[in-house]
Amino acid sequence: KAKGMWENTLVVVSSDNGGPTYNLPAFGPGAASNRPLRGSKMTDWEGGIRVNALVSGGAVPMAKRGSKLSDYIHMADWYATFC
């Protein structure tokens, strides 16, 4: 903020899909817990596709700061937003 860069900054943090709970010879055992969600990495259950994300920075409109989106988005939505 002191350098005047904050107002032009947009930070996006998104996670990979759910943690591994399988045991595959090529990868070894997975030791994650996706509770309370069902499923894991390599599945279509929420535990395999639902992750946290956040957006921060001075470029976020004042009306949206501190808000929570409970809708679903897809990685392709990020691409369309930034490109």
Side-chain angles (χ1 to χ4, degrees), residues 13-20 22 34 41-42 46-53 75:
V13 179
S14 182
S15 179
D16 187 5
N17 51 349
Y22 48 76
N34 298 309
K41 189 179 291 284
M42 299 175 61
E46 280 192 339
I49 59 173
R50 187 174 171 185
V51 298
N52 297 323
M75 189 54 103

Side-chain angles (χ1 to χ4, degrees), residues 51-76:
V51 298
N52 297 323
L54 69 94
V55 177
S56 183
V60 176
M62 290 298 286
K64 292 293 184 182
R65 293 181 188 186
S67 64
K68 178 180 177 181
L69 177 69
S70 49
D71 295 330
Y72 294 109
I73 66 164
H74 187 273
M75 189 54 103

